[in-house]
């Protein structure tokens, strides 16, 4: 039988520490759950199935047309109702396809979130993840849907809405804590998901989150690069392979607690994302035109955005390592020289008008039972 009492779940923002953006390119990544921000969903049994609009994020009543326009310019056209509806559809269809019976009862869903919009912290998927957890418990089917499959359900719900994304964020939000992910083509083709390995969060050094009040949207950047990857662009392919290798090296550096190496790899990860040129052999004048046509930007400054790049540069100005948490909008920084450098970072960010705070790493969400379910696949 379905649960008879209210159910509430939180899902947290996430930080892509190494390897991004390689989760949709058969690469490897390391990410952690960020306790500074979260989305919460409340499910309460009710006579009819109701999706409650959020009083701010789903606002449909305005004092004037200029207020409406201002709301759209700052927050976009869409709130969270569509996310809750999409995961309900994906969850239901998955259960039907797998022969999982859903017994009786309706519910009312409501949500809240404090994750900054368009900050590359996975705010949309956090809402979807928290909703999925509520549905799993309401219908008491958590033991029937493997933990590795849940990120796919979350991603499919977002794809229903045209959101461009990969599995990395959803894996981190389902698993919690610090997670190493291998998305090799062999695993993806055979299993339908990657290999996900939880790591001990205590091996992490202090990290600092930097973000702006009005970050730029990042979704369009992914679509262009992915098309070039699918088209066989040699720069994109080689860059993604190198980014994936950074995650492998990052895992080793974390285990060794080698902060200097971690800082080097973080900077390299961002530089690969930004790079406008590559190392090349000497070429003659006749080959130059052909070479320049091949050596296009991976993302480049225009795509990444001046504000996003500025956050990285401010962190690096005090010797800190820095990279995007995701696709842009927020930055994660490491101060390998310790607390004094962290203080310098805070001062520099405040002078530049950026918000900075120490990153809080959430512990793993996996119960004792769920790894056993995962191991049975």
């Amino acid at each position: 039988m379905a649960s008879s009492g209210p159910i509430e779940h939180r899902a947290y923002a996430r930080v892509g520490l190494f390897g991004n953006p390689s989760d949709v390119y058969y690469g490897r990544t390391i990410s952690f759950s960020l306790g500074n921000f979260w989305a919460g969903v409340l499910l309460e049994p009710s006579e009819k199935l109701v999706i409650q609009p959020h009083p701010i994020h789903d606002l449909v009543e305005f004092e004037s047309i200029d207020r409406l326009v201002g709301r759209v310019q700052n927050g976009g056209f869409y709130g969270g109702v569509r996310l809750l509806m999409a995961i309900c559809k994906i969850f239901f269809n998955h259960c039907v396809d797998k022969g999982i019976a859903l017994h009786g009862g309706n519910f009312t869903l409501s949500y809240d979130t404090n994750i900054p919009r368009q900050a590359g912290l996975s705010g949309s998927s956090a809402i979807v993840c928290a909703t999925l957890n509520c549905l799993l418990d309401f219908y008491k089917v958590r033991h029937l849907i493997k933990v590795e499959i849940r990120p796919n359900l979350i991603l499919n719900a977002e794809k229903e809405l045209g959101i461009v994304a990969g599995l990395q964020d959803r894996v981190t939000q389902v698993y919690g804590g610090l997670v190493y992910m291998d998305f090799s083509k062999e695993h993806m083709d055979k299993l339908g998901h990657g290999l996900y390995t939880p790591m001990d969060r205590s091996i992490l050094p202090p990290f600092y989150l930097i973000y702006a009040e009005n970050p730029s949207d990042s979704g369009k950047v992914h679509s262009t690069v992915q098309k070039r990857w699918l088209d066989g662009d040699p720069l994109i392919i080689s860059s993604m392979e190198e980014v994936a290798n950074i995650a492998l090296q990052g895992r080793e550096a974390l285990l060794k607690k080698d902060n200097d190496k971690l800082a080097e790899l973080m900077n390299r990860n961002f530089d690969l994302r930004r790079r406008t040129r590559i190392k090349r052999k000497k070429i003659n004048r006749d080959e130059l035109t052909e070479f320049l046509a091949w050596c296009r930007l991976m993302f480049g400054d225009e795509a990444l955005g001046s504000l996003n790049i500025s956050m990285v540069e401010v962190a690096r100005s005090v010797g800190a390592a820095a990279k995007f948490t995701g696709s842009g909008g927020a930055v994660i920084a490491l101060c390998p020289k310790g607390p004094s450098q962290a203080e310098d970072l805070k001062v520099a960010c405040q002078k530049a008008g950026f918000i900075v705070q120490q990153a809080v790493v959430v512990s793993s969400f996996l119960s004792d039972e769920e790894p056993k379910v995962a191991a049975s696949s």
Side-chain angles (χ1 to χ4, degrees):
M1 295 295 293
S3 175
S4 59
I7 299 167
E8 189 168 10
H9 279 284
R10 277 185 178 182
Y12 292 84
R14 73 87 194 88
V15 169
L17 189 55
F18 293 114
N20 59 309
S22 66
D23 54 324
V24 294
Y25 305 97
Y26 300 126
R28 307 179 193 90
T29 65
I30 298 177
S31 296
F32 65 80
S33 292
L34 182 70
N36 305 63
F37 301 107
W38 60 86
V41 173
L42 175 65
L43 182 154
E44 298 176 283
S46 56
E47 183 178 350
K48 294 183 178 181
L49 199 158
V50 179
I51 308 292
Q52 285 190 347
H54 191 277
I56 297 175
H57 304 303
D58 298 294
L59 190 62
V60 293
E61 183 177 325
F62 304 89
E63 294 180 3
S64 62
I65 191 169
D66 61 310
R67 293 291 181 88
L68 181 152
V69 172
R71 167 66 180 82
V72 169
Q73 287 176 338
N74 291 327
F77 290 99
Y78 306 113
V81 165
R82 63 181 186 141
L83 298 169
L84 274 63
M85 294 179 70
I87 188 58
C88 285
K89 175 188 175 183
I90 294 297
F91 169 79
F92 176 81
N93 287 342
H94 177 80
C95 291
V96 170
D97 290 343
K98 299 300 180 181
I100 300 172
L102 301 179
H103 298 290
N106 283 323
F107 51 81
T108 296
L109 283 174
S110 59
Y111 78 96
D112 199 5
T113 180
N114 65 1
I115 301 175
R117 291 180 60 88
Q118 299 180 353
L121 294 171
S122 259
S124 294
S125 59
I127 295 173
V128 179
C129 181
T131 307
L132 176 60
N133 278 320
C134 287
L135 294 173
L136 292 173
D137 290 343
F138 178 74
Y139 290 108
K140 298 185 178 180
V141 295
R142 183 175 292 274
H143 64 294
L144 298 176
I145 300 180
K146 296 177 182 179
V147 66
E148 300 99 331
I149 299 301
R150 296 173 203 166
N152 295 56
L153 300 181
I154 296 167
L155 180 60
N156 289 341
E158 294 180 271
K159 285 183 175 179
E160 283 272 317
L161 304 171
I163 296 173
V164 179
L167 279 169
Q168 173 185 203
D169 303 359
R170 290 93 201 143
V171 173
T172 311
Q173 289 169 328
V174 167
Y175 279 64
L178 177 67
V179 189
Y180 172 78
M181 295 162 250
D182 185 340
F183 297 100
S184 74
K185 191 174 189 302
E186 178 185 0
H187 301 322
M188 295 298 293
D189 289 346
K190 180 180 178 180
L191 304 173
H193 55 77
L195 293 184
Y196 312 136
T197 307
M199 301 177 67
D200 185 353
R201 63 174 175 157
S202 68
I203 64 176
L204 290 172
F207 287 103
Y208 298 88
L209 181 71
I210 304 167
Y211 62 100
E213 289 285 1
N214 297 300
S216 60
D217 180 62
S218 63
K220 296 179 181 178
V221 177
H222 271 305
S223 58
T224 301
V225 173
Q226 187 172 13
K227 182 180 184 302
R228 290 170 58 191
W229 180 75
L230 291 170
D231 289 343
D233 186 316
L235 173 59
I236 299 299
I237 291 173
S238 63
S239 295
M240 289 304 176
E241 289 174 351
E242 194 169 351
V243 167
N245 191 48
I246 284 176
L248 198 60
Q249 297 177 64
R251 184 184 187 185
E252 182 179 351
L254 283 170
L255 293 171
K256 292 181 177 178
K257 297 190 175 182
D258 186 344
N259 289 351
D260 290 331
K261 183 64 175 179
L262 290 175
E264 175 191 330
L265 291 171
M266 287 177 66
N267 285 333
R268 180 61 179 156
N269 202 148
F270 177 78
D271 291 343
L272 277 170
R273 189 186 192 97
R274 183 184 184 185
R275 74 177 181 177
T276 60
R277 60 182 181 275
I278 59 172
K279 293 180 180 178
R280 56 185 173 87
K281 63 180 182 179
K282 292 182 179 180
I283 57 177
N284 59 43
R285 187 181 299 273
D286 294 335
E287 296 172 312
L288 181 58
T289 301
E290 181 180 354
F291 171 78
L292 290 175
W294 177 80
C295 186
R296 293 172 291 174
L297 304 180
M298 181 176 174
F299 284 93
D301 289 5
E302 183 176 354
L304 297 182
S306 59
L307 183 66
N308 293 331
I309 292 171
S310 179
M311 287 188 282
V312 173
E313 291 179 339
V314 167
R316 290 186 178 183
S317 71
V318 299
K323 64 178 293 296
F324 289 168
T325 60
S327 298
V331 163
I332 195 71
L334 169 65
C335 298
K337 295 182 180 178
S340 62
Q341 189 177 45
E343 288 302 315
D344 292 340
L345 174 66
K346 292 174 183 177
V347 171
C349 288
Q350 289 166 358
K351 285 183 178 179
F354 298 133
I355 301 169
V356 59
Q357 54 189 261
Q358 186 165 342
V360 176
V361 184
V362 178
S363 60
S364 174
F365 304 143
L366 298 184
S367 67
D368 291 338
E369 291 78 16
E370 285 178 326
K372 295 176 184 177
V373 173
S376 67
S377 61

